[in-house]
Amino acid sequence: MANRLIIILFFWTSLVAAQDMSRAEYISKYKDLAVAEMHQYGIPASITLAQGVLESGNGNSELARKSKNHFGIKCHSSWKGKKVYHDDDEAQECFRKYPTVAASYRDHSVFLQKARYANLFELAITDYKGWAKGLKKAGYATNPKYPELLIKIIEDNQLQHYDKPTDAPFMAKRWYHGM
C-alpha cells in the first residue's frame, strides 16, 4: 500500500511540475500580445513582457493561474470587475480577476494610461531602461529593485527586440478571443 501511495504521489508531483510554464514558453506564448498592445497603446512590448514574467512568475503564480492576473494589478476603488483576495504586501489584498490573459494584458495597458504614468509616454518606445525606472518612480511596484529586475529580464531574454515597430499590419483583435 505504501508503495502505491509513493507511486501515485510521484506521478501527481510530476504532472503538477510539468504544468509549470518556463520563461521561454511564457515569452513565446505572449510576445505577440505584448507587441499588439505596444502598437495600440505605446507601451514597449519588452516592458509589458518583463512585467508579465516578473509579476506572474512566468504565468505560474496562483494569481495568474486562478485569476489570469499577470501584472499584479490590485482592485483600487474604481475597479468594477470581478475580484479575488490574495496575500501580497498585506494579507488578503484585493486583486483584479480577468476572464482571459488577454483581458489582463489589455487592462495593464489601460492602467498605464493614468496621469501618474504620463511621463513614461514621453520616452522613446525603445527606452526600456527609462520605462523600468519610471514605473518604479510612479509607484507601480514597492520593490526597490523593480527597475533592475525588469531590465535583467529584458536583457537576459533579448526582449528589447520586440520594441521595434514593423511595417506589417497588426491584427490585435485576434488575441482577445479565448486567451
Side-chain angles (χ1 to χ4, degrees):
M1 181 68 173
N3 286 342
R4 279 188 179 161
L5 182 58
I6 290 171
I7 291 171
I8 290 170
L9 284 173
F10 173 77
F11 282 114
W12 183 81
T13 304
S14 297
L15 180 63
V16 171
Q19 293 175 350
D20 280 354
M21 197 179 326
S22 71
R23 181 162 295 173
E25 289 169 328
Y26 184 92
I27 291 165
S28 177
K29 186 169 187 174
Y30 298 117
K31 66 180 171 25
D32 292 337
L33 183 54
V35 170
E37 290 299 309
M38 177 181 71
H39 285 257
Q40 187 156 356
Y41 287 92
I43 301 158
S46 63
I47 287 291
T48 299
L49 278 170
Q51 285 189 281
V53 162
L54 181 60
E55 299 285 350
S56 75
N58 303 321
N60 298 314
S61 72
E62 182 179 350
L63 189 61
R65 286 184 188 221
K66 291 185 177 180
S67 305
K68 297 184 177 57
N69 186 331
H70 282 230
F71 299 94
I73 300 177
K74 295 179 181 171
C75 294
H76 305 287
S77 59
S78 63
W79 180 246
K80 305 292 183 219
K82 292 187 177 186
K83 303 172 182 176
V84 64
Y85 295 87
H86 183 78
D87 292 348
D88 191 44
D89 295 330
E90 297 177 20
Q92 294 303 292
E93 290 187 270
C94 184
F95 286 86
R96 299 176 184 196
K97 183 175 182 177
Y98 303 100
T100 64
V101 174
S104 176
Y105 269 70
R106 173 55 50 92
D107 191 50
H108 172 261
S109 297
V110 171
F111 185 82
L112 292 181
Q113 302 305 304
K114 292 181 178 186
R116 74 186 208 190
Y117 300 110
N119 290 342
L120 294 173
F121 292 91
E122 295 175 14
L123 300 171
I125 199 80
T126 56
D127 187 3
Y128 63 89
K129 290 179 182 179
W131 271 82
K133 293 171 186 171
L135 283 168
K136 172 62 180 129
K137 186 176 180 183
Y140 188 93
T142 56
N143 185 336
K145 295 190 182 284
Y146 197 73
E148 291 84 5
L149 294 170
L150 291 180
I151 292 166
K152 181 166 177 37
I153 291 167
I154 290 167
E155 291 177 351
D156 286 354
N157 298 280
Q158 300 181 4
L159 301 182
Q160 67 273 23
H161 296 297
Y162 297 118
D163 295 339
K164 294 179 175 42
T166 64
D167 294 331
F170 216 89
M171 303 297 282
K173 289 183 180 180
R174 72 184 176 99
W175 286 101
Y176 296 95
H177 301 289
M179 185 176 278

